[in-house]
Amino acid sequence: MRVDSRVMERDPGVARARMIGAMVAGVLLMAGCGMVTVVSEEAPSDYALCIEKREAGDVSPELAALDCAELAERAGTEIV
């Protein structure tokens, strides 16, 4: 069986369009257009703020957690 090479010709316009499309997609991905950014607007809990403040005052994380847990229990707030 012989294959005629004229039958297998490709349209140069289709090849050019595919190449341009791939280049545009690459540029958009490099520019960051393909990324999804998630931003959380939740405020940290009082417990977490308490720990951060205690740690900033040179208190070990374990002691800060214990102190803040006791304060949270007295205040009747939920530890999250």
Side-chain angles (χ1 to χ4, degrees):
M1 179 174 162
R2 285 180 82 186
V3 176
D4 190 2
S5 64
R6 290 176 288 161
V7 174
M8 300 299 288
E9 286 184 33
R10 291 191 175 196
D11 184 18
V14 172
R16 189 176 305 118
R18 286 183 180 172
M19 183 182 68
I20 291 172
M23 288 173 50
V24 168
V27 168
L28 288 175
L29 285 175
M30 284 192 297
C33 294
M35 297 183 187
V36 176
T37 304
V38 177
V39 178
S40 176
E41 294 291 330
E42 287 185 26
S45 67
D46 291 338
Y47 177 72
L49 289 174
C50 176
I51 290 177
E52 288 177 12
K53 287 180 182 179
R54 298 282 172 121
E55 288 177 352
D58 293 329
V59 175
S60 70
E62 294 83 15
L63 288 176
L66 289 173
D67 289 343
C68 293
E70 289 175 9
L71 292 174
E73 285 177 10
R74 282 189 225 143
T77 58
E78 184 178 331
I79 299 174
V80 179

